[in-house]
């Protein structure tokens, strides 16, 4: 057993050698983890200008690690954090006390893996890019657009400002000097996993048109960003019913090609991820459960 290897100090039957090898392997893993991305809160004036707020009213945030070489200074990966969603006031209230609803409890540093990994051995294509992880603190795919807080019976205020959070963050990145800003970008990958993957499908074209018109190469990637929509035996659909409830609570609005093409009367269809996906115009890649 691993436990006996780790805690044994008796060099019998090769046990000491195995113990040493195991400990050194673990040490190597932790000494070569991805370089830290540092937390940044949005400036107060930017948050106020856009009306940006997490569920609890705190300022939205993102983690950043600048490009590591001059060749990558104009290349960016912008990753939308995942973490399910909240469809009822009670669910959102609980969420507002966590990292998925408040910037007050976010860690100062994160060491993500995957396409945000800074180690070239693990992530040869994107490891040297400017890396951005946008905190997901609004509770509904960066879509909320309720102009005033939702007030619960006990006076608790919930802020549903997902779209404003996304726009305020991208505005901040456009005006950032790290020493490079998004306004200097020549290549951008917009991505996300799980709920962040859904958010990427919903927002990728909008981000390109609104914020990245100047960028020659913009791509999208959704990782585990499609969820099965399966009716119950009774005929009702859990996924569709839940999304409909959340859409109303958050006063969610979509600003993508799907809503423009289908029109107001069929706009609700666009909250179905495969529907919005079918209208994407930027090069887009799916990984794990997309279709």
């Amino acid at each position: 057993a691993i436990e006996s290897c780790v805690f044994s100090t008796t060099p019998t039957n090769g046990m000491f050698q195995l113990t040493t090898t195991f400990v050194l392997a673990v040490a190597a893993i932790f000494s070569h983890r991805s370089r830290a991305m540092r937390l940044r809160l949005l400036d107060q004036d930017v948050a106020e200008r856009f009306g940006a707020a997490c569920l609890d009213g705190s300022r939205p945030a993102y983690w950043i690690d600048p490009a590591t070489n001059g060749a990558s200074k104009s290349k960016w990966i912008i990753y939308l954090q995942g973490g399910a969603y909240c469809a009822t006031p009670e669910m959102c209230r609980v969420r507002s006390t966590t990292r998925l609803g408040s910037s007050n409890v976010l860690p100062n540093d994160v060491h993500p893996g995957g396409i945000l990994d800074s180690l070239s051995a693990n992530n040869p294509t994107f490891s040297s890019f400017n890396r951005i992880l946008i905190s997901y603190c609004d509770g509904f795919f960066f879509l909320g657009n309720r102009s005033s807080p939702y007030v619960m019976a006990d006076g608790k205020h919930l802020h549903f400002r997902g779209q404003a959070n996304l726009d305020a963050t991208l505005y901040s990145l456009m005006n950032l000097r790290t020493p490079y800003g998004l306004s200097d970008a020549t290549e951008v990958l917009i991505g996300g996993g799980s709920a962040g993957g859904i958010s990427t499908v919903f927002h990728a074209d909008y981000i390109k048109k609104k914020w990245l018109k100047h960028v020659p190469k913009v791509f999208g990637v959704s990782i585990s960003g499609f969820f099965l929509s399966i009716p119950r035996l009774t005929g009702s659909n859990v996924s569709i019913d839940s999304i409909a409830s959340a859409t109303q609570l958050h006063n969610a609005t979509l600003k993508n090609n799907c809503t423009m093409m289908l029109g107001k009367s069929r706009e609700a269809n666009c909250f179905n991820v495969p529907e919005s996906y079918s209208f994407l115009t930027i090069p887009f890649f799916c990984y794990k459960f997309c279709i």
Side-chain angles (χ1 to χ4, degrees), residues 39-53 59-64 76 78 132-135 163-184 207 210-212 214:
L39 181 70
R40 289 197 182 186
L41 295 176
L42 297 190
D43 291 342
Q44 186 65 43
D45 64 322
V46 172
E48 291 177 355
R49 186 186 316 170
F50 283 86
R59 278 181 285 165
Y62 59 92
W63 291 272
I64 181 171
W76 293 71
I78 299 174
I132 303 294
L133 173 60
I134 300 181
S135 174
Q163 183 66 58
N165 294 356
L166 181 62
D167 284 333
T169 302
L170 291 167
Y171 172 86
S172 298
L173 295 174
M174 289 290 290
N175 291 277
L176 190 66
R177 287 294 175 264
T178 64
Y180 322 116
L182 190 57
S183 58
D184 302 316
I207 293 172
K210 173 71 174 179
W211 296 105
L212 303 178
H214 64 289

Side-chain angles (χ1 to χ4, degrees), residues 180-196:
Y180 322 116
L182 190 57
S183 58
D184 302 316
T186 59
E187 185 174 335
V188 177
L189 175 66
I190 306 166
S194 190

Side-chain angles (χ1 to χ4, degrees), residues 17-31:
Q17 182 178 0
L18 181 57
T19 302
T20 303
T21 302
F22 179 80
V23 171
L24 290 176
V26 171
I29 290 172
F30 283 98
S31 65

Side-chain angles (χ1 to χ4, degrees), residues 56-259:
D56 71 337
S58 58
R59 278 181 285 165
Y62 59 92
W63 291 272
I64 181 171
D65 183 55
T68 55
N69 61 59
S72 297
K73 68 180 182 181
S74 65
K75 299 178 180 180
W76 293 71
I77 176 167
I78 299 174
Y79 199 84
L80 306 181
Q81 186 183 33
Y85 64 95
C86 58
T88 68
E90 292 74 20
M91 291 170 62
C92 294
R93 181 193 186 109
V94 172
R95 190 182 179 100
S96 72
T97 64
T98 73
R99 295 179 180 183
L100 293 172
S102 174
S103 63
N104 293 329
V105 292
L106 293 178
N108 290 323
D109 299 339
V110 293
H111 300 264
I115 59 175
L116 284 177
D117 200 317
S118 68
L119 300 179
S120 58
N122 300 335
N123 186 23
T125 303
F126 306 112
S127 59
S128 63
F129 282 28
N130 295 285
R131 298 180 298 140
I132 303 294
L133 173 60
I134 300 181
S135 174
Y136 176 39
C137 70
D138 67 280
F140 194 59
F141 312 126
F142 299 92
L143 291 174
N145 195 32
R146 185 181 279 271
S147 58
S148 57
Y150 181 95
V151 183
M152 302 192 71
D154 63 355
K156 168 74 173 178
H157 285 208
L158 295 173
H159 302 261
F160 299 119
R161 300 294 298 159
Q163 183 66 58
N165 294 356
L166 181 62
D167 284 333
T169 302
L170 291 167
Y171 172 86
S172 298
L173 295 174
M174 289 290 290
N175 291 277
L176 190 66
R177 287 294 175 264
T178 64
Y180 322 116
L182 190 57
S183 58
D184 302 316
T186 59
E187 185 174 335
V188 177
L189 175 66
I190 306 166
S194 190
I198 292 176
S199 300
T200 304
V201 173
F202 286 155
H203 293 290
D205 272 343
Y206 167 78
I207 293 172
K208 165 62 176 174
K209 292 177 181 178
K210 173 71 174 179
W211 296 105
L212 303 178
K213 289 180 180 178
H214 64 289
V215 181
K217 298 180 180 179
V218 179
F219 308 93
V221 60
S222 175
I223 301 172
S224 299
F226 275 35
F227 290 81
L228 294 176
S229 179
I230 302 174
R232 295 169 173 161
L233 293 177
T234 59
S236 63
N237 190 299
V238 178
S239 176
I240 290 177
D241 293 346
S242 178
I243 291 290
S245 296
T247 300
Q248 184 174 8
L249 175 64
H250 291 255
N251 190 33
T253 54
L254 277 169
K255 299 181 179 181
N256 60 17
N257 290 329
C258 180
T259 57

